[in-house]
């Protein structure tokens, strides 16, 4: 990998650039919180060659959503499930919108 290749990753939301300690610091939480949301399967951190957890910016945004719910009194397991369901709902709504647009562009069908 050249230096130019590593600079390209700075804009990659999926690149696992953050250690567990740095991720916890950025979120203002504990490493235990990150372990707990990993155990609840909200996010799955990648592992470095040495086996250390590494987080991407995308994963940190998801973790921050869960942390917001936990801060308001929601148990971690429930917060993780809520975030997962919200994301599934958003995806289903996006797919429905695509189907509606496709149906509208195809025009009215005639009954046979």
């Amino acid at each position: 990998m050249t230096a130019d290749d590593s600079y390209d990753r700075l804009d990659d939301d999926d690149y696992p650039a953050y250690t567990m300690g740095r991720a916890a610091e950025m979120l203002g939480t504990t490493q235990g919180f990150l372990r707990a949301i990993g155990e609840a399967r909200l996010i799955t951190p990648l592992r470095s060659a040495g086996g250390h957890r590494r987080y991407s910016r995308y994963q940190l945004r998801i973790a921050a959503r869960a942390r917001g719910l936990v801060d308001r009194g929601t148990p971690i397991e429930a917060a993780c499930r809520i975030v997962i369901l919200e994301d599934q709902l958003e995806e289903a709504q996006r797919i429905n919108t695509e189907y509606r647009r496709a149906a509208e562009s195809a025009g009215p069908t005639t009954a046979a």
Side-chain angles (χ1 to χ4, degrees):
M1 175 183 350
T2 66
D4 290 336
D5 293 337
S6 61
Y7 289 126
D8 289 340
R9 293 184 177 182
L10 294 175
D11 292 331
D12 184 355
D13 275 355
D14 295 318
Y15 181 69
Y18 303 99
T19 63
M20 177 179 271
R22 179 68 179 130
E25 180 183 315
M26 291 171 67
L27 293 170
T29 189
T30 65
Q31 292 181 15
F33 174 80
L34 290 172
R35 283 188 206 93
I37 63 173
E39 289 170 12
R41 297 193 172 133
L42 178 62
I43 59 174
T44 303
L46 290 155
R47 298 282 181 152
S48 69
H52 300 282
R53 291 174 180 90
R54 303 286 294 197
Y55 298 88
S56 68
R57 286 187 296 192
Y58 175 75
Q59 290 173 322
L60 295 183
R61 284 194 298 273
I62 292 170
R65 289 170 54 200
R67 181 172 183 251
L69 291 167
V70 170
D71 287 350
R72 286 177 272 171
T74 306
I76 288 179
E77 297 81 12
C80 291
R81 188 69 182 138
I82 288 168
V83 171
I84 290 167
L85 290 171
E86 286 174 344
D87 287 350
Q88 289 174 344
L89 176 60
E90 184 179 329
E91 178 66 8
Q93 289 172 332
R94 185 192 61 75
I95 291 168
N96 283 340
T97 299
E98 287 178 12
Y99 284 145
R100 281 191 202 104
R101 286 183 185 146
E104 289 170 0
S105 66
T109 59
T110 56

